[in-house]
Amino acid sequence: MTITAGPWAPLRNPVFRLLWLAVLAGNAGTWMQTVGAQWLVVQEPDPATWTSLVQAATTLPVLMFALPAGTLADALDRRRLLLAVQIGLFLVAATLTALAALDHLPPALLLIFTFLLGCGQALTLPSWQAVIPEVVPHDELPAASALGAVNTNLARSAGPAIGGLLVAQFGSALVFGLNALSFAIFAFALIRWRRDPQPPTGHPERFGSALRAGGRYVRWSPVVRRILGRVALFVLPGSAIWALLPVVARQELGLGAQGYGVLLAALGVGAIAGALLMPRARRILRTDQMIVGTGLVYGAALAVIAFVPNRFAVVPMLVAAGLAWMMLVSRMNAAMQLALPNWVRARALAIYQLVFAGGQALGALIWGQFASAFGLVATFATAAVLMAAGLCTVRLWPVHTHEDEDHSPAVYWPEPHLLFQPNLEDGPVLVSATYEVPQDNIAAFTTAMRRVRGSRMRTGASQWGLFRDGTQPDTFVEVYLVPTWDVHLRQHEGRLTESDEQAEQHAISLAKAPPRVTHLLATDS
């Protein structure tokens, strides 16, 4: 069947299609692994705690390794990094399969292997997210992001259903083995992909400096901060379904492994429906309207699970919950992709994954303990109330994505000419720019410099200020402090974007002439 333009357009790209199918195999294998692990521990005393611990062991590694993994993905060849990680995951999953087959897998050891597999996923996610803009055009990024959500939720649909059937018939060892096979498939796809030569990035950045640069960019990007906050407010209460669904299936609905797979399949069907509706929803609904709509639908699903423990009521609401989850997550992920320049993309996406998966892990721990103490009804009712409370903040903290901004690199600063050559690690460096501003433009100039401040801070400055000369009122001096000469050179060599250039040129247009720039380097005195 011919794929028409729209939500499936990125699949016309053979590279994206190959990698997408490989990731689908990997996601399906991971979900089969999760079903097998959760079903092994659901027989233990206090199953709510054990199942939530399995979920936490899967996602907690993101809290520990996501940002370092993003730093590595920005510094190293992303294809080679992904390939090495998949080989490592295959070895871990193969060992887990052997232990399960030999019946030497107590719950504590199962959690250790689940944690190791989660570490591999933490290393995989930032690199995979960061390579998507390399293989699809900019205008197809929202569709590619939606397809990523379809991928995940199709795996959630097929993986648990198949996994539940296989666990019931053959035991957990088989699904663990299939998970190992999925990593081998992903590795094969990466070997087949011939990545285009990447432009030289100059000398490598020190790991610690690169790590701080990623955090600095997120801190000084209002759009990114709002996206992260909105994801946290949705995922924390929303994680109750993912963490406790096995317990709901067994204790509230009286279902077995196959029935649990059906519940997860309902979530997956809803997610696929959400992907099909996503292009139309993007045209009709503003971002904040979509946030409110998806939150209301998901909150209603939480309430139904709490107060109507009937499979014929729960399954349709899980379809609706899957749709809402996919639309919200896809919308926020696409907004992140479009808001980031390439030099920091993997690190910022790692922070996004940290918030997303960390929210799931924290939510899993909280809701598991809450359910053990107060029961499932109180747990899902509380989660529904918290979801509604989060929606009340939309007017106070709206999300403006600014997807029309151009984040492609812009090298427009002249090369600094100094009479001595500092070492790369010398610093701090105090940069000053002196502007002469006509009296009539002063108010507009100071307003325009607010955007310039954001640009300086996102790309490397640790402090910034704008000062007015008391003896010459039309003279303004911008000063900003950069930790090292190396960081300042990176501002010159590719960290700035077309949007940064537009903001700076607008400020300069309000002055009489381009500013006079000086570089002051710290001395040893």
Side-chain angles (χ1 to χ4, degrees):
M1 183 178 67
T2 302
I3 300 173
T4 58
W8 310 107
L11 291 177
R12 291 197 300 257
N13 184 315
V15 173
F16 180 82
R17 183 170 62 246
L18 175 66
L19 293 173
W20 188 86
L21 291 172
V23 171
L24 176 62
N27 285 336
T30 298
W31 274 99
M32 286 192 287
Q33 144 79 27
T34 302
V35 169
Q38 288 186 320
W39 205 252
L40 277 179
V41 300
V42 82
Q43 312 293 336
E44 299 291 325
D46 194 8
T49 296
W50 279 110
T51 55
S52 63
L53 284 174
V54 169
Q55 182 78 14
T58 303
T59 52
L60 276 176
V62 177
L63 293 173
M64 302 172 63
F65 302 118
L67 189 51
T71 304
L72 290 175
D74 280 330
L76 304 176
D77 184 291
R78 290 165 184 164
R79 172 184 168 274
R80 293 181 179 179
L81 178 60
L82 282 170
L83 181 58
V85 171
Q86 302 317 303
I87 293 172
L89 286 171
F90 171 78
L91 296 175
V92 172
T95 304
L96 176 63
T97 303
L99 290 172
L102 296 172
D103 199 21
H104 293 312
L105 197 60
L109 186 59
L110 175 63
L111 289 178
I112 291 173
F113 274 90
T114 302
F115 180 81
L116 291 175
L117 292 171
C119 292
Q121 292 300 317
L123 292 169
T124 298
L125 287 171
S127 297
W128 163 241
Q129 292 285 331
V131 301
I132 291 176
E134 295 183 25
V135 296
V136 299
H138 183 271
D139 58 351
E140 291 183 3
L141 271 179
S145 178
L147 283 171
V150 169
N151 190 311
T152 300
N153 288 283
L154 183 59
R156 280 176 176 160
S157 172
I162 297 171
L165 177 63
L166 293 177
V167 168
Q169 297 296 325
F170 304 104
S172 295
L174 180 61
V175 297
F176 295 161
L178 291 175
N179 188 36
L181 178 62
S182 73
F183 297 131
I185 293 172
F186 195 3
F188 174 75
L190 291 167
I191 292 171
R192 290 283 306 275
W193 174 31
R194 294 293 181 262
R195 190 186 186 201
D196 293 334
Q198 300 298 300
T201 57
H203 56 279
E205 188 173 8
R206 289 181 178 272
F207 184 84
S209 176
L211 199 66
R212 291 189 293 272
R216 184 189 303 117
Y217 186 92
V218 169
R219 177 186 176 189
W220 290 100
S221 175
V223 172
V224 172
R225 291 201 313 272
R226 291 287 177 90
I227 293 171
L228 296 178
R230 189 51 53 190
V231 167
L233 288 173
F234 184 84
V235 167
L236 278 170
S239 63
I241 289 180
W242 302 104
L244 297 174
L245 198 58
V247 184
V248 172
R250 186 175 180 86
Q251 295 185 359
E252 295 295 311
L253 303 180
L255 301 176
Q258 295 181 24
Y260 171 48
V262 170
L263 298 184
L264 283 170
L267 286 166
V269 168
I272 295 171
L276 295 174
L277 294 173
M278 191 66 186
R280 180 175 297 180
R282 283 174 57 87
R283 291 193 298 268
I284 297 174
L285 301 176
R286 299 192 309 272
T287 300
D288 289 337
Q289 291 174 329
M290 187 177 294
I291 291 170
V292 172
T294 54
L296 289 174
V297 171
Y298 204 94
L302 290 166
V304 168
I305 295 173
F307 300 113
V308 190
N310 182 289
R311 70 187 70 179
F312 298 106
V314 169
V315 169
M317 292 310 298
L318 288 178
V319 173
L323 182 147
W325 181 278
M326 199 292 303
M327 294 185 75
L328 189 281
V329 171
S330 173
R331 187 72 185 89
M332 295 298 97
N333 187 276
M336 280 288 292
Q337 292 275 11
L338 293 169
L340 298 171
N342 186 61
W343 70 269
V344 75
R345 178 174 288 123
R347 278 165 282 182
L349 287 170
I351 294 175
Y352 174 88
Q353 290 296 335
L354 189 153
V355 172
F356 181 80
Q360 286 185 296
L362 180 61
L365 288 172
I366 292 173
W367 299 125
Q369 295 302 312
F370 200 94
S372 295
F374 302 104
L376 290 173
V377 172
T379 298
F380 281 96
T382 302
V385 171
L386 290 178
M387 180 68 73
L391 298 180
C392 296
T393 66
V394 171
R395 186 180 294 273
L396 181 62
W397 298 317
V399 175
H400 303 297
T401 56
H402 302 293
E403 293 177 7
D404 56 335
E405 292 188 357
D406 187 352
H407 295 284
S408 56
V411 181
Y412 60 94
W413 283 2
E415 182 179 351
H417 294 286
L418 306 182
L419 296 181
F420 67 95
Q421 185 60 43
N423 295 319
L424 291 177
E425 298 306 315
D426 286 352
V429 180
L430 184 67
V431 184
S432 70
T434 303
Y435 302 82
E436 305 293 333
V437 184
Q439 183 68 31
D440 294 341
N441 292 349
I442 288 178
F445 173 78
T446 55
T447 300
M449 289 299 290
R450 295 175 187 169
R451 289 191 63 194
V452 175
R453 172 181 185 253
S455 170
R456 306 287 197 248
M457 300 299 291
R458 284 192 300 271
T459 56
S462 57
Q463 297 181 50
W464 183 94
L466 181 65
F467 301 90
R468 191 175 185 181
D469 191 328
T471 60
Q472 302 181 56
D474 61 344
T475 300
F476 288 79
V477 181
E478 175 199 10
V479 294
Y480 56 97
L481 196 67
V482 186
T484 66
W485 183 245
D486 175 49
V487 173
H488 184 57
L489 288 181
R490 292 180 186 280
Q491 291 180 306
H492 278 268
E493 296 169 356
R495 283 191 176 179
L496 298 170
T497 67
E498 295 288 347
S499 293
D500 293 326
E501 182 178 15
Q502 293 170 11
E504 189 167 343
Q505 291 301 323
H506 175 60
I508 292 174
S509 70
L510 297 170
K512 297 177 182 178
R516 301 185 303 276
V517 179
T518 63
H519 300 83
L520 305 178
L521 288 95
T523 66
D524 295 332
S525 55

